[in-house]
Amino acid sequence: MGRARAGKTSRSDKIYAALRQAIVEQTLRPGDRLPEDAIGDCFGVSRTSVRAALARLHAERLVEARRNRVAIVASPDPTEAQEIFDMRRCLEQEVARRLAGRLTAAQVETLEQHVRLEEQTSAPDSQAASQLAGDFHRLLAGMVNNRVLARYVSELVSRSSLILALYGQAHSTDCAVSEHRAIVAALSRGDAAAAVQAMQHHLGTVEKRSSIKEGDARTYDVGAILKRYAVKEA
Amino acid sequence: MGRARAGKTSRSDKIYAALRQAIVEQTLRPGDRLPEDAIGDCFGVSRTSVRAALARLHAERLVEARRNRVAIVASPDPTEAQEIFDMRRCLEQEVARRLAGRLTAAQVETLEQHVRLEEQTSAPDSQAASQLAGDFHRLLAGMVNNRVLARYVSELVSRSSLILALYGQAHSTDCAVSEHRAIVAALSRGDAAAAVQAMQHHLGTVEKRSSIKEGDARTYDVGAILKRYAVKEA
DNA sequence: CGCCTGCAAGGTGTATACACTTTGCAGACG
DNA sequence: CGTCTGCAAAGTGTATACACCTTGCAGGCG
Protein backbone atom coordinates (compact mmCIF):
# COMPACT_ATOMS: atom_id res chain seq x y z
CA MET A 1 0.00 0.00 0.00
CA GLY A 2 2.94 2.32 0.12
CA ARG A 3 2.33 2.36 -3.59
CA ALA A 4 -0.36 4.09 -5.53
CA ARG A 5 -0.54 7.83 -4.90
CA ALA A 6 -1.16 10.65 -7.31
CA GLY A 7 -0.97 9.53 -10.93
CA LYS A 8 -4.66 10.00 -11.63
CA THR A 9 -5.14 13.04 -13.76
CA SER A 10 -8.66 14.05 -14.61
CA ARG A 11 -9.62 14.75 -18.18
CA SER A 12 -9.80 18.42 -17.55
CA ASP A 13 -6.24 18.23 -16.23
CA LYS A 14 -5.05 16.72 -19.48
CA ILE A 15 -6.88 19.28 -21.55
CA TYR A 16 -5.60 22.04 -19.36
CA ALA A 17 -2.03 20.83 -19.82
CA ALA A 18 -2.43 20.43 -23.56
CA LEU A 19 -3.97 23.83 -24.12
CA ARG A 20 -1.47 25.49 -21.83
CA GLN A 21 1.40 23.89 -23.70
CA ALA A 22 -0.06 24.89 -27.04
CA ILE A 23 -0.43 28.46 -25.87
CA VAL A 24 3.05 28.94 -24.43
CA GLU A 25 4.50 27.20 -27.47
CA GLN A 26 2.59 29.70 -29.58
CA THR A 27 0.89 26.94 -31.51
CA LEU A 28 -2.23 28.68 -30.35
CA ARG A 29 -1.67 32.39 -30.77
CA PRO A 30 -3.23 35.34 -28.97
CA GLY A 31 -6.73 35.99 -30.21
CA ASP A 32 -7.27 32.45 -31.43
CA ARG A 33 -10.76 31.17 -30.75
CA LEU A 34 -11.30 28.36 -28.27
CA PRO A 35 -14.85 27.00 -28.74
CA GLU A 36 -15.70 24.45 -26.10
CA ASP A 37 -17.31 21.86 -28.34
CA ALA A 38 -14.61 22.00 -31.00
CA ILE A 39 -11.93 21.43 -28.37
CA GLY A 40 -14.03 18.72 -26.80
CA ASP A 41 -14.41 16.88 -30.11
CA CYS A 42 -10.73 17.26 -30.74
CA PHE A 43 -9.87 15.57 -27.45
CA GLY A 44 -12.77 13.19 -27.44
CA VAL A 45 -14.35 14.60 -24.29
CA SER A 46 -17.41 16.60 -23.47
CA ARG A 47 -17.63 20.33 -23.05
CA THR A 48 -17.77 19.87 -19.30
CA SER A 49 -14.11 19.00 -18.99
CA VAL A 50 -13.12 21.62 -21.50
CA ARG A 51 -14.95 24.29 -19.55
CA ALA A 52 -13.06 23.39 -16.40
CA ALA A 53 -9.76 23.59 -18.25
CA LEU A 54 -10.63 26.93 -19.79
CA ALA A 55 -11.70 28.29 -16.43
CA ARG A 56 -8.34 27.37 -15.01
CA LEU A 57 -6.49 28.98 -17.90
CA HIS A 58 -8.65 32.02 -17.44
CA ALA A 59 -7.66 32.24 -13.80
CA GLU A 60 -4.04 32.29 -14.94
CA ARG A 61 -4.87 34.96 -17.47
CA LEU A 62 -3.82 32.84 -20.41
CA VAL A 63 -7.26 32.95 -21.94
CA GLU A 64 -9.92 35.63 -22.05
CA ALA A 65 -13.50 34.59 -21.44
CA ARG A 66 -16.31 36.98 -22.21
CA ARG A 67 -19.78 36.04 -21.10
CA ASN A 68 -21.79 34.14 -23.70
CA ARG A 69 -18.95 34.48 -26.14
CA VAL A 70 -16.33 32.08 -27.31
CA ALA A 71 -13.15 32.16 -25.26
CA ILE A 72 -9.95 33.30 -26.93
CA VAL A 73 -6.27 33.08 -26.18
CA ALA A 74 -5.42 36.19 -24.17
CA SER A 75 -3.71 39.01 -25.98
CA PRO A 76 -2.26 41.48 -23.51
CA ASP A 77 -2.41 45.05 -24.74
CA PRO A 78 0.82 47.05 -24.56
CA THR A 79 -0.06 48.46 -21.16
CA GLU A 80 -0.68 45.02 -19.76
CA ALA A 81 2.52 43.76 -21.35
CA GLN A 82 4.50 46.42 -19.58
CA GLU A 83 2.80 45.67 -16.31
CA ILE A 84 3.76 42.04 -16.64
CA PHE A 85 7.41 42.77 -17.32
CA ASP A 86 7.41 45.40 -14.62
CA MET A 87 6.16 42.83 -12.16
CA ARG A 88 8.67 40.25 -13.36
CA ARG A 89 11.47 42.69 -12.69
CA CYS A 90 10.10 43.28 -9.22
CA LEU A 91 9.70 39.62 -8.32
CA GLU A 92 12.72 38.13 -10.02
CA GLN A 93 14.95 40.80 -8.61
CA GLU A 94 13.74 39.63 -5.23
CA VAL A 95 14.54 36.06 -6.25
CA ALA A 96 18.09 37.08 -7.14
CA ARG A 97 18.53 38.99 -3.91
CA ARG A 98 17.38 36.08 -1.81
CA LEU A 99 19.34 33.44 -3.63
CA ALA A 100 22.69 35.19 -3.82
CA GLY A 101 25.21 33.34 -1.69
CA ARG A 102 22.58 30.96 -0.34
CA LEU A 103 22.59 28.31 -3.01
CA THR A 104 23.82 24.86 -2.12
CA ALA A 105 26.43 23.23 -4.30
CA ALA A 106 23.76 20.89 -5.60
CA GLN A 107 21.52 23.78 -6.57
CA VAL A 108 24.33 25.54 -8.40
CA GLU A 109 25.04 22.32 -10.23
CA THR A 110 21.38 21.97 -11.19
CA LEU A 111 21.37 25.47 -12.58
CA GLU A 112 24.60 25.05 -14.47
CA GLN A 113 23.35 21.83 -15.93
CA HIS A 114 20.23 23.55 -17.08
CA VAL A 115 22.19 26.35 -18.71
CA ARG A 116 24.40 23.79 -20.41
CA LEU A 117 21.28 22.13 -21.74
CA GLU A 118 20.13 25.46 -23.10
CA GLU A 119 23.44 25.97 -24.84
CA GLN A 120 23.42 22.55 -26.39
CA THR A 121 19.95 22.89 -27.81
CA SER A 122 20.47 22.80 -31.55
CA ALA A 123 17.89 25.23 -32.84
CA PRO A 124 18.22 28.43 -30.81
CA ASP A 125 14.90 29.83 -31.99
CA SER A 126 12.91 26.66 -31.45
CA GLN A 127 9.96 26.04 -29.21
CA ALA A 128 12.23 23.83 -27.16
CA ALA A 129 14.69 26.65 -26.54
CA SER A 130 11.87 28.94 -25.60
CA GLN A 131 10.54 26.38 -23.18
CA LEU A 132 13.93 25.88 -21.59
CA ALA A 133 14.39 29.61 -21.19
CA GLY A 134 11.14 29.84 -19.30
CA ASP A 135 12.05 26.86 -17.19
CA PHE A 136 15.26 28.55 -16.14
CA HIS A 137 13.30 31.34 -14.53
CA ARG A 138 10.89 28.90 -12.91
CA LEU A 139 13.76 26.81 -11.63
CA LEU A 140 15.37 29.83 -10.05
CA ALA A 141 12.15 31.05 -8.44
CA GLY A 142 11.50 27.57 -7.12
CA MET A 143 14.74 27.66 -5.18
CA VAL A 144 13.51 30.46 -2.99
CA ASN A 145 11.60 28.86 -0.18
CA ASN A 146 8.35 30.57 -0.96
CA ARG A 147 5.76 28.80 -3.05
CA VAL A 148 3.67 31.92 -3.48
CA LEU A 149 6.59 33.69 -5.07
CA ALA A 150 7.32 30.66 -7.24
CA ARG A 151 3.75 30.51 -8.43
CA TYR A 152 3.57 34.19 -9.31
CA VAL A 153 6.85 34.07 -11.22
CA SER A 154 5.72 30.98 -13.07
CA GLU A 155 2.47 32.64 -14.03
CA LEU A 156 4.26 35.72 -15.29
CA VAL A 157 6.74 33.66 -17.27
CA SER A 158 3.86 31.94 -19.02
CA ARG A 159 2.14 35.19 -19.78
CA SER A 160 5.37 36.51 -21.22
CA SER A 161 5.02 33.95 -23.99
CA LEU A 162 1.85 35.71 -25.06
CA ILE A 163 3.71 39.00 -25.22
CA LEU A 164 6.56 37.55 -27.23
CA ALA A 165 4.03 36.00 -29.57
CA LEU A 166 2.32 39.33 -30.07
CA TYR A 167 5.13 41.82 -30.13
CA GLY A 168 8.29 39.84 -30.82
CA GLN A 169 9.11 37.55 -33.66
CA ALA A 170 8.22 33.95 -32.86
CA HIS A 171 10.69 32.32 -30.44
CA SER A 172 13.40 34.79 -31.27
CA THR A 173 15.84 33.47 -28.71
CA ASP A 174 13.61 34.60 -25.89
CA CYS A 175 16.50 34.68 -23.47
CA ALA A 176 20.19 34.95 -24.21
CA VAL A 177 21.77 31.94 -22.58
CA SER A 178 24.88 33.92 -21.77
CA GLU A 179 22.78 36.17 -19.57
CA HIS A 180 21.43 33.17 -17.74
CA ARG A 181 24.98 32.03 -17.18
CA ALA A 182 25.93 35.43 -15.81
CA ILE A 183 23.08 35.32 -13.33
CA VAL A 184 24.06 31.90 -12.07
CA ALA A 185 27.68 33.03 -11.75
CA ALA A 186 26.79 36.08 -9.70
CA LEU A 187 24.48 34.05 -7.50
CA SER A 188 26.96 31.32 -6.79
CA ARG A 189 29.78 33.68 -5.89
CA GLY A 190 27.36 35.40 -3.52
CA ASP A 191 27.39 38.80 -5.15
CA ALA A 192 23.84 39.94 -4.51
CA ALA A 193 24.20 43.33 -6.16
CA ALA A 194 25.62 41.81 -9.33
CA ALA A 195 22.99 39.10 -9.37
CA VAL A 196 20.18 41.60 -9.06
CA GLN A 197 21.72 43.74 -11.74
CA ALA A 198 22.26 40.79 -14.07
CA MET A 199 18.64 39.81 -13.61
CA GLN A 200 17.40 43.31 -14.26
CA HIS A 201 19.56 43.63 -17.32
CA HIS A 202 18.40 40.27 -18.56
CA LEU A 203 14.72 41.08 -18.20
CA GLY A 204 15.33 44.43 -19.81
CA THR A 205 16.86 42.64 -22.76
CA VAL A 206 13.95 40.28 -23.03
CA GLU A 207 11.47 43.10 -22.93
CA LYS A 208 13.36 45.10 -25.54
CA ARG A 209 13.47 42.09 -27.82
CA SER A 210 9.76 42.50 -28.08
CA SER A 211 9.18 46.07 -29.11
CA ILE A 212 6.02 46.83 -27.24
CA LYS A 213 6.04 50.45 -28.43
CA GLU A 214 2.58 51.08 -29.84
CA GLY A 215 2.57 54.73 -28.86
CA ASP A 216 4.40 54.10 -25.62
CA ALA A 217 1.30 52.41 -24.26
CA ARG A 218 0.08 55.54 -22.56
CA THR A 219 -1.51 56.74 -25.75
CA TYR A 220 -3.06 53.38 -26.35
CA ASP A 221 -6.73 53.79 -27.07
CA VAL A 222 -8.88 53.13 -30.08
CA GLY A 223 -9.57 56.77 -30.70
CA ALA A 224 -5.90 57.69 -30.97
CA ILE A 225 -5.21 54.82 -33.31
CA LEU A 226 -8.14 55.43 -35.61
CA LYS A 227 -7.29 59.09 -35.74
CA ARG A 228 -4.07 58.22 -37.50
CA TYR A 229 -5.95 56.41 -40.21
CA ALA A 230 -8.49 59.19 -40.48
CA VAL A 231 -5.67 61.61 -41.27
CA LYS A 232 -4.35 59.31 -43.94
CA GLU A 233 -7.71 59.04 -45.60
CA ALA A 234 -8.60 62.70 -45.42
CA MET B 1 -27.55 52.34 -27.14
CA GLY B 2 -24.88 53.93 -25.07
CA ARG B 3 -26.74 52.20 -22.25
CA ALA B 4 -26.71 48.58 -21.27
CA ARG B 5 -23.27 47.14 -20.53
CA ALA B 6 -22.09 44.70 -17.87
CA GLY B 7 -24.68 44.05 -15.18
CA LYS B 8 -25.35 40.43 -16.04
CA THR B 9 -23.78 38.19 -13.48
CA SER B 10 -23.97 34.47 -13.99
CA ARG B 11 -25.14 32.20 -11.23
CA SER B 12 -21.67 30.97 -10.59
CA ASP B 13 -20.58 34.59 -10.17
CA LYS B 14 -23.14 35.09 -7.44
CA ILE B 15 -22.16 31.92 -5.68
CA TYR B 16 -18.52 32.77 -6.01
CA ALA B 17 -19.12 36.17 -4.45
CA ALA B 18 -21.22 34.74 -1.63
CA LEU B 19 -18.77 32.00 -0.73
CA ARG B 20 -15.84 34.34 -0.98
CA GLN B 21 -17.52 36.81 1.33
CA ALA B 22 -18.41 34.08 3.80
CA ILE B 23 -14.84 32.88 3.83
CA VAL B 24 -13.11 36.20 4.34
CA GLU B 25 -15.71 37.10 6.97
CA GLN B 26 -14.84 33.86 8.67
CA THR B 27 -18.44 32.71 8.63
CA LEU B 28 -17.00 29.74 6.82
CA ARG B 29 -13.85 28.76 8.65
CA PRO B 30 -10.75 26.94 7.43
CA GLY B 31 -11.38 23.23 7.09
CA ASP B 32 -15.14 23.62 6.71
CA ARG B 33 -16.60 21.25 4.16
CA LEU B 34 -18.05 22.59 0.91
CA PRO B 35 -20.10 19.81 -0.72
CA GLU B 36 -21.32 20.85 -4.13
CA ASP B 37 -24.88 19.61 -3.85
CA ALA B 38 -25.43 21.03 -0.39
CA ILE B 39 -24.28 24.45 -1.55
CA GLY B 40 -26.34 24.10 -4.70
CA ASP B 41 -29.49 23.33 -2.72
CA CYS B 42 -28.75 26.20 -0.43
CA PHE B 43 -28.61 28.66 -3.33
CA GLY B 44 -31.23 26.94 -5.43
CA VAL B 45 -28.90 26.10 -8.29
CA SER B 46 -27.35 22.98 -9.68
CA ARG B 47 -23.92 21.61 -8.91
CA THR B 48 -22.67 22.90 -12.23
CA SER B 49 -22.62 26.51 -11.14
CA VAL B 50 -21.27 25.64 -7.73
CA ARG B 51 -18.39 23.75 -9.29
CA ALA B 52 -17.43 26.75 -11.36
CA ALA B 53 -17.47 28.96 -8.28
CA LEU B 54 -15.39 26.49 -6.29
CA ALA B 55 -12.89 26.18 -9.12
CA ARG B 56 -12.44 29.91 -9.10
CA LEU B 57 -11.97 30.01 -5.34
CA HIS B 58 -9.51 27.17 -5.67
CA ALA B 59 -7.51 29.18 -8.20
CA GLU B 60 -7.29 31.93 -5.60
CA ARG B 61 -6.25 29.41 -2.99
CA LEU B 62 -9.22 30.14 -0.78
CA VAL B 63 -10.45 26.57 -1.01
CA GLU B 64 -8.64 23.28 -1.23
CA ALA B 65 -9.94 20.72 -3.69
CA ARG B 66 -8.69 17.16 -3.53
CA ARG B 67 -9.69 14.86 -6.33
CA ASN B 68 -12.88 12.92 -5.68
CA ARG B 69 -13.14 14.45 -2.26
CA VAL B 70 -15.29 17.19 -0.90
CA ALA B 71 -13.72 20.63 -1.17
CA ILE B 72 -12.88 22.46 2.03
CA VAL B 73 -12.05 26.01 3.00
CA ALA B 74 -8.28 26.29 2.74
CA SER B 75 -6.30 26.19 5.94
CA PRO B 76 -2.76 27.36 5.34
CA ASP B 77 -0.24 25.54 7.48
CA PRO B 78 2.23 27.70 9.43
CA THR B 79 4.80 27.52 6.66
CA GLU B 80 2.32 28.68 4.08
CA ALA B 81 1.13 31.40 6.41
CA GLN B 82 4.63 32.74 6.71
CA GLU B 83 5.10 32.60 2.98
CA ILE B 84 1.98 34.64 2.49
CA PHE B 85 3.03 37.35 4.93
CA ASP B 86 6.53 37.27 3.53
CA MET B 87 5.14 37.92 0.10
CA ARG B 88 2.86 40.65 1.38
CA ARG B 89 5.84 42.43 2.86
CA CYS B 90 7.64 42.15 -0.44
CA LEU B 91 4.77 43.42 -2.57
CA GLU B 92 3.31 46.04 -0.28
CA GLN B 93 6.70 47.48 0.40
CA GLU B 94 6.94 47.96 -3.33
CA VAL B 95 3.54 49.61 -3.27
CA ALA B 96 4.73 52.05 -0.63
CA ARG B 97 7.93 52.80 -2.48
CA ARG B 98 6.10 53.54 -5.70
CA LEU B 99 3.36 55.60 -4.17
CA ALA B 100 5.46 57.84 -1.94
CA GLY B 101 5.30 61.39 -3.20
CA ARG B 102 3.32 60.41 -6.27
CA LEU B 103 -0.18 60.52 -4.90
CA THR B 104 -2.55 63.14 -6.21
CA ALA B 105 -4.44 65.28 -3.75
CA ALA B 106 -7.58 63.39 -4.65
CA GLN B 107 -5.93 60.06 -3.89
CA VAL B 108 -4.67 61.26 -0.54
CA GLU B 109 -8.16 62.47 0.25
CA THR B 110 -9.61 59.09 -0.70
CA LEU B 111 -7.18 57.35 1.59
CA GLU B 112 -7.77 59.71 4.49
CA GLN B 113 -11.48 59.32 4.09
CA HIS B 114 -11.10 55.58 4.20
CA VAL B 115 -9.01 55.74 7.35
CA ARG B 116 -11.57 58.05 8.91
CA LEU B 117 -14.22 55.49 8.07
CA GLU B 118 -12.17 52.84 9.78
CA GLU B 119 -11.84 54.97 12.89
CA GLN B 120 -15.53 55.68 13.04
CA THR B 121 -16.54 52.07 12.80
CA SER B 122 -18.15 51.33 16.11
CA ALA B 123 -17.12 47.77 16.81
CA PRO B 124 -13.39 47.56 16.31
CA ASP B 125 -13.34 43.77 16.24
CA SER B 126 -16.25 43.37 13.87
CA GLN B 127 -16.39 41.74 10.48
CA ALA B 128 -16.96 45.21 9.08
CA ALA B 129 -13.73 46.51 10.59
CA SER B 130 -11.87 43.54 9.29
CA GLN B 131 -13.27 44.09 5.84
CA LEU B 132 -12.33 47.77 5.88
CA ALA B 133 -8.81 46.94 6.96
CA GLY B 134 -8.39 44.62 4.00
CA ASP B 135 -9.89 47.21 1.69
CA PHE B 136 -7.31 49.74 2.81
CA HIS B 137 -4.54 47.54 1.51
CA ARG B 138 -6.41 46.85 -1.73
CA LEU B 139 -7.09 50.53 -2.18
CA LEU B 140 -3.44 51.36 -1.79
CA ALA B 141 -2.29 48.64 -4.17
CA GLY B 142 -4.86 49.77 -6.69
CA MET B 143 -3.27 53.21 -6.83
CA VAL B 144 -0.09 51.81 -8.28
CA ASN B 145 -0.61 51.65 -12.00
CA ASN B 146 -0.11 47.94 -12.26
CA ARG B 147 -3.09 45.63 -12.25
CA VAL B 148 -0.96 42.54 -11.81
CA LEU B 149 0.43 43.92 -8.59
CA ALA B 150 -3.03 44.95 -7.46
CA ARG B 151 -4.39 41.49 -8.12
CA TYR B 152 -1.62 39.72 -6.25
CA VAL B 153 -1.93 42.00 -3.25
CA SER B 154 -5.68 41.53 -3.24
CA GLU B 155 -5.31 37.78 -3.33
CA LEU B 156 -2.84 37.81 -0.47
CA VAL B 157 -5.04 40.08 1.60
CA SER B 158 -7.89 37.62 1.21
CA ARG B 159 -5.73 34.68 2.14
CA SER B 160 -4.59 36.56 5.21
CA SER B 161 -8.14 36.27 6.52
CA LEU B 162 -7.70 32.53 6.58
CA ILE B 163 -4.55 32.90 8.61
CA LEU B 164 -6.15 35.27 11.09
CA ALA B 165 -9.04 32.85 11.40
CA LEU B 166 -6.69 29.98 12.15
CA TYR B 167 -4.00 31.52 14.27
CA GLY B 168 -5.40 34.77 15.60
CA GLN B 169 -8.51 35.40 17.58
CA ALA B 170 -11.45 36.19 15.35
CA HIS B 171 -11.31 39.72 13.88
CA SER B 172 -8.98 40.92 16.61
CA THR B 173 -8.51 44.37 15.17
CA ASP B 174 -6.70 42.92 12.18
CA CYS B 175 -4.99 46.20 11.47
CA ALA B 176 -4.36 49.07 13.81
CA VAL B 177 -5.95 52.08 12.19
CA SER B 178 -3.25 54.33 13.56
CA GLU B 179 -0.72 52.40 11.53
CA HIS B 180 -2.78 52.92 8.41
CA ARG B 181 -2.82 56.62 9.16
CA ALA B 182 0.95 56.64 9.57
CA ILE B 183 1.40 55.02 6.18
CA VAL B 184 -0.82 57.54 4.47
CA ALA B 185 1.02 60.38 6.20
CA ALA B 186 4.43 59.15 5.08
CA LEU B 187 3.20 58.61 1.55
CA SER B 188 1.62 62.00 1.18
CA ARG B 189 4.63 63.88 2.47
CA GLY B 190 6.71 61.92 -0.03
CA ASP B 191 8.95 60.19 2.46
CA ALA B 192 9.53 56.88 0.70
CA ALA B 193 11.82 55.41 3.34
CA ALA B 194 9.37 56.18 6.11
CA ALA B 195 6.47 54.86 4.08
CA VAL B 196 8.22 51.61 3.38
CA GLN B 197 9.19 51.27 6.99
CA ALA B 198 5.69 52.08 8.21
CA MET B 199 4.32 49.43 5.89
CA GLN B 200 6.85 46.85 7.02
CA HIS B 201 6.16 47.62 10.65
CA HIS B 202 2.45 47.43 10.06
CA LEU B 203 2.61 44.05 8.37
CA GLY B 204 4.93 42.82 11.08
CA THR B 205 2.35 43.85 13.64
CA VAL B 206 -0.41 42.10 11.78
CA GLU B 207 1.60 38.93 11.52
CA LYS B 208 2.56 38.99 15.18
CA ARG B 209 -1.06 39.47 16.15
CA SER B 210 -1.60 36.00 14.86
CA SER B 211 0.96 33.90 16.63
CA ILE B 212 1.85 31.48 13.90
CA LYS B 213 4.51 29.90 16.08
CA GLU B 214 3.61 26.24 16.16
CA GLY B 215 7.18 25.10 16.54
CA ASP B 216 8.54 27.85 14.33
CA ALA B 217 6.92 26.16 11.34
CA ARG B 218 10.02 24.20 10.52
CA THR B 219 9.15 21.61 13.13
CA TYR B 220 5.58 21.44 11.94
CA ASP B 221 4.53 17.85 11.61
CA VAL B 222 1.85 15.78 13.15
CA GLY B 223 4.28 13.71 15.15
CA ALA B 224 5.71 16.70 16.98
CA ILE B 225 2.28 17.99 17.85
CA LEU B 226 0.88 14.72 19.06
CA LYS B 227 3.97 14.11 21.11
CA ARG B 228 3.03 17.06 23.31
CA TYR B 229 -0.30 15.50 24.09
CA ALA B 230 1.28 12.13 24.70
CA VAL B 231 3.45 13.68 27.40
CA LYS B 232 0.45 15.27 29.06
CA GLU B 233 -1.41 12.01 29.20
CA ALA B 234 1.47 9.86 30.30
C1' DC C 1 -12.34 -6.93 22.93
C1' DG C 2 -9.88 -5.53 18.91
C1' DC C 3 -9.15 -5.96 14.05
C1' DC C 4 -10.50 -6.80 9.53
C1' DT C 5 -14.09 -6.97 5.77
C1' DG C 6 -17.66 -5.43 2.96
C1' DC C 7 -21.36 -2.59 2.00
C1' DA C 8 -24.22 1.49 1.82
C1' DA C 9 -24.32 6.42 1.80
C1' DG C 10 -22.27 10.58 0.50
C1' DG C 11 -19.94 12.99 -3.09
C1' DT C 12 -17.32 13.90 -7.16
C1' DG C 13 -16.17 13.29 -12.53
C1' DT C 14 -18.21 13.49 -16.85
C1' DA C 15 -21.68 13.28 -20.60
C1' DT C 16 -25.77 14.96 -22.39
C1' DA C 17 -29.87 17.85 -23.14
C1' DC C 18 -32.02 22.11 -23.73
C1' DA C 19 -32.73 27.14 -23.31
C1' DC C 20 -30.91 31.39 -24.38
C1' DT C 21 -27.48 34.74 -26.50
C1' DT C 22 -24.59 36.30 -30.00
C1' DT C 23 -23.28 36.86 -34.73
C1' DG C 24 -23.09 36.78 -39.52
C1' DC C 25 -25.58 36.88 -43.62
C1' DA C 26 -29.40 36.93 -46.92
C1' DG C 27 -32.98 39.37 -48.57
C1' DA C 28 -36.22 43.31 -48.21
C1' DC C 29 -36.45 48.08 -48.55
C1' DG C 30 -35.22 52.85 -49.21
C1' DC D 1 -26.15 50.43 -54.00
C1' DG D 2 -26.23 51.00 -49.13
C1' DT D 3 -28.80 50.08 -45.00
C1' DC D 4 -31.89 47.75 -42.07
C1' DT D 5 -34.36 43.42 -40.57
C1' DG D 6 -34.82 38.94 -39.27
C1' DC D 7 -33.45 34.36 -39.19
C1' DA D 8 -30.38 30.45 -38.92
C1' DA D 9 -25.98 28.82 -37.28
C1' DA D 10 -22.66 28.76 -33.70
C1' DG D 11 -21.78 28.70 -29.02
C1' DT D 12 -22.40 29.39 -24.15
C1' DG D 13 -25.15 28.82 -19.36
C1' DT D 14 -27.28 25.54 -16.61
C1' DA D 15 -29.73 21.34 -15.10
C1' DT D 16 -29.80 16.55 -14.89
C1' DA D 17 -28.31 11.71 -15.14
C1' DC D 18 -25.26 8.14 -14.19
C1' DA D 19 -20.77 5.89 -13.26
C1' DC D 20 -17.28 5.69 -10.09
C1' DC D 21 -14.59 6.78 -5.95
C1' DT D 22 -14.22 7.41 -0.94
C1' DT D 23 -15.46 6.84 3.71
C1' DG D 24 -17.54 5.47 7.78
C1' DC D 25 -19.65 1.89 10.08
C1' DA D 26 -21.80 -2.59 11.09
C1' DG D 27 -20.99 -7.12 11.74
C1' DG D 28 -18.02 -11.22 11.52
C1' DC D 29 -13.87 -13.32 13.03
C1' DG D 30 -9.89 -14.14 15.68
Side-chain angles (χ1 to χ4, degrees), chain A residues 1 4 189 198:
Chain A
M1 346 57 208
R189 74 170 182 273

Side-chain angles (χ1 to χ4, degrees), chain B residues 11-204:
Chain B
R11 290 177 202 208
S12 72
D13 284 346
K14 293 202 202 83
I15 296 182
Y16 162 78
L19 287 179
R20 184 176 197 293
Q21 182 73 14
I23 291 172
V24 303
E25 280 187 3
Q26 309 185 7
T27 304
L28 285 172
R29 311 201 66 248
D32 281 357
R33 291 159 46 88
L34 302 169
E36 295 170 1
D37 23 20
I39 296 173
D41 289 353
C42 165
F43 284 94
V45 304
S46 78
R47 282 177 52 211
T48 312
S49 314
V50 178
R51 273 179 85 75
L54 287 178
R56 204 162 148 197
L57 291 165
H58 175 61
E60 296 173 12
R61 298 297 190 272
L62 288 179
V63 321
E64 271 168 45
R66 302 95 88 221
R67 178 171 171 89
N68 276 321
R69 298 246 266 296
V70 66
I72 59 176
V73 177
S75 55
D77 61 38
T79 305
E80 207 174 340
Q82 282 182 187
E83 289 172 352
I84 289 167
F85 273 114
D86 184 28
M87 205 60 206
R88 278 192 70 172
R89 268 190 296 271
C90 172
L91 294 185
E92 300 206 57
Q93 163 185 330
E94 185 72 15
V95 168
R97 193 178 0 255
R98 293 189 184 201
L99 252 32
R102 290 204 187 78
L103 289 174
T104 66
Q107 286 175 319
V108 172
E109 176 50 26
T110 303
L111 289 171
E112 283 176 347
Q113 196 167 321
H114 186 95
V115 174
R116 249 175 276 135
L117 194 62
E118 288 190 76
E119 285 169 341
Q120 287 163 11
T121 296
S122 43
D125 290 8
S126 64
Q127 292 178 347
S130 188
Q131 176 83 40
L132 282 174
D135 287 345
F136 174 79
H137 291 268
R138 290 199 181 84
L139 195 55
L140 223 46
M143 288 181 176
V144 178
N145 256 348
N146 189 319
R147 283 159 298 179
V148 182
L149 178 57
R151 184 161 72 88
Y152 287 168
V153 168
S154 176
E155 180 177 305
L156 292 173
V157 167
S158 301
R159 293 175 74 185
S160 295
S161 300
L162 296 175
I163 299 172
L164 272 313
L166 271 170
Y167 304 105
Q169 40 273 49
H171 313 112
S172 58
T173 14
D174 297 355
C175 292
V177 182
S178 64
E179 289 167 6
H180 285 183
R181 186 171 284 289
I183 293 170
V184 174
L187 287 176
S188 74
R189 75 172 181 273
D191 188 341
V196 167
Q197 214 220 301
M199 179 64 86
Q200 295 291 49
H201 173 258
H202 175 50
L203 288 173

Side-chain angles (χ1 to χ4, degrees), chain A residues 114-190:
Chain A
H114 186 95
V115 173
R116 248 175 277 135
L117 194 63
E118 287 189 78
E119 285 168 342
Q120 288 162 11
T121 296
S122 43
D125 289 9
S126 64
Q127 291 179 348
S130 187
Q131 175 84 40
L132 282 173
D135 286 344
F136 174 78
H137 291 268
R138 289 198 182 86
L139 194 55
L140 224 44
M143 289 182 175
V144 177
N145 256 348
N146 189 319
R147 284 160 297 179
V148 182
L149 178 57
R151 183 161 72 87
Y152 287 168
V153 168
S154 176
E155 182 177 304
L156 292 173
V157 168
S158 301
R159 293 175 76 185
S160 295
S161 299
L162 297 174
I163 299 172
L164 272 314
L166 272 169
Y167 303 105
Q169 41 273 49
H171 312 113
S172 59
T173 18
D174 297 355
C175 292
V177 182
S178 64
E179 288 168 6
H180 284 183
R181 186 171 285 288
I183 293 170
V184 175
L187 287 177
S188 73
R189 74 170 182 273

Side-chain angles (χ1 to χ4, degrees), chain A residues 90-128:
Chain A
C90 172
L91 293 186
E92 300 205 57
Q93 163 185 329
E94 184 72 13
V95 168
R97 193 177 2 252
R98 293 188 183 200
L99 252 32
R102 290 204 188 79
L103 290 174
T104 66
Q107 286 176 318
V108 172
E109 176 50 26
T110 303
L111 288 171
E112 284 175 347
Q113 197 168 321
H114 186 95
V115 173
R116 248 175 277 135
L117 194 63
E118 287 189 78
E119 285 168 342
Q120 288 162 11
T121 296
S122 43
D125 289 9
S126 64
Q127 291 179 348

